[in-house]
Amino acid sequence: MMGCEGYNAIARVYDKLNAEIDYGAWADFFECCFDRFLKERPVLVLDLACGTGSMTRALSSRGYDMIGIDGSAEMLAEAYAQKQEGDSVLYLQQDMRAFELYGTVGAVTCCLDSLNYLLEDGDLARCFATVHNYLDPDGLFLFDMNTPYKFQHVYGNCAYVLEDELVWDEGTDTEERAAIYCGWQNTFHPETGLCDFDLSLFEELPNGSYRRSDEHQRERCYSMDEITSALKSCGMELLGVWSDYRFSEPAETTERWYFAARAVKS
């Protein structure tokens, strides 16, 4: 994943800090898109910027042959750690703008505003072009992105704190629960469209002390015109944009856009 200095700080607790995400409902949405836009459901699916593999595993459990690609070794290590017996997911550490596969896939998914981490001019189009290259003819690309409204009114220059519990078992016979706190300061720069996130993570250790880790991340705000233009330039046909898993039309206060696009190939 681009736009960050690694996931050394939060990879281990990423899933805990995002526990509110309903991957089952999101996977249901993907399957509805498969049924709506494809002649038949795909066999092989790529989960781009897969992170710790939560969506990759959710789709794998539904019978899809899955490939997960992410740029973060720390996040992929967590994905490997959560693999179950019989799990055949192939995880690869590659740049989402220029990844390589052995062949094409029937669908590509990309979740949790991962594409907003593409910061430089042309990055989005490079990623879309690579996705197009590795999709079957008429293959489906399903992704989401944070909206300008979210950057301006939710991220802005606000500070947030998340709190949860972490289970420690490091070689011991009994599990111990410990607190984790994550605070971050957002700084949005309207003139560049970039938003900086400065995160501090505090993990309670078994001896009662706390370990602090700091991390910096950055996202870029893209307009609808920029996204749709990048899709068109790469041979992708936009099929729809929605504000939720129920295919609702976007509104002015929509915080996340959900896209479906088709790879047009001659």
Side-chain angles (χ1 to χ4, degrees):
M1 189 176 290
M2 308 300 296
C4 60
E5 298 168 359
Y7 277 83
N8 291 315
I10 65 170
R12 187 165 170 271
V13 299
Y14 180 85
D15 291 330
K16 294 291 292 182
L17 296 175
N18 290 279
E20 79 284 355
I21 298 170
D22 189 342
Y23 286 100
W26 207 332
D28 289 342
F29 170 74
F30 284 159
E31 292 197 311
C32 286
C33 289
F34 294 160
D35 295 338
R36 179 179 291 200
F37 299 116
L38 297 174
K39 294 180 180 179
E40 57 185 16
R41 291 187 177 183
V43 174
L44 182 60
V45 177
L46 166 64
D47 189 21
L48 189 61
C50 66
T52 60
S54 294
M55 179 56 73
T56 325
R57 291 188 298 276
L59 291 174
S60 177
S61 69
R62 298 181 183 216
Y64 301 96
D65 293 331
M66 296 299 301
I67 302 171
I69 286 180
D70 201 274
S72 167
E74 295 83 11
M75 297 290 268
L76 288 175
E78 291 299 316
Y80 271 106
Q82 297 185 54
K83 289 187 72 170
Q84 303 295 319
E85 185 176 351
D87 186 347
S88 61
V89 175
L90 172 64
Y91 289 109
L92 301 170
Q93 184 182 0
Q94 297 196 59
D95 188 328
M96 66 190 299
R97 300 166 299 180
F99 58 87
E100 295 183 356
L101 301 176
Y102 293 110
T104 57
V105 299
V108 175
T109 61
C110 187
C111 300
L112 286 172
D113 51 90
S114 296
L115 292 166
N116 287 106
Y117 283 92
L118 299 176
L119 306 179
E120 301 298 329
D121 291 344
D123 278 353
L124 196 63
R126 285 183 62 195
C127 178
F128 288 169
T130 307
V131 169
H132 181 274
N133 183 53
Y134 285 106
L135 274 172
D136 293 337
D138 296 324
L140 201 59
F141 183 28
L142 304 173
F143 64 95
D144 67 90
M145 297 187 72
N146 284 331
T147 67
Y149 176 86
K150 185 171 185 177
F151 279 96
Q152 295 165 9
H153 300 284
V154 179
Y155 286 159
N157 295 307
C158 301
Y160 295 94
V161 175
L162 287 178
E163 180 179 353
D164 211 314
E165 274 190 331
L166 184 67
V167 177
W168 284 88
D169 60 4
E170 298 185 345
T172 63
D173 294 330
T174 58
E175 292 183 346
E176 297 184 38
R177 295 191 173 273
I180 53 173
Y181 303 91
C182 183
W184 74 90
Q185 174 67 52
N186 304 329
T187 307
F188 180 55
H189 310 278
E191 67 280 4
T192 62
L194 298 177
C195 188
D196 290 300
F197 307 93
D198 292 296
L199 297 88
S200 293
L201 179 69
F202 297 86
E203 300 174 72
E204 185 182 10
L205 302 179
N207 64 6
S209 64
Y210 279 81
R211 174 173 57 201
R212 174 175 174 169
S213 305
D214 296 307
E215 187 169 292
H216 176 263
Q217 297 186 8
R218 173 176 283 179
E219 287 192 12
R220 176 171 174 172
C221 175
Y222 287 93
S223 69
M224 181 64 74
D225 285 345
E226 288 176 307
I227 299 167
T228 56
S229 295
L231 285 170
K232 185 177 180 180
S233 71
C234 301
M236 304 291 291
E237 176 191 1
L238 179 63
L239 301 174
V241 186
W242 305 279
S243 63
D244 54 35
Y245 308 145
R246 299 180 298 279
F247 297 94
S248 302
E249 291 295 320
E252 289 185 5
T253 57
T254 294
E255 296 181 16
R256 189 185 298 273
W257 289 321
Y258 297 85
F259 292 83
R262 188 196 327 269
V264 178
K265 297 188 176 183
S266 55

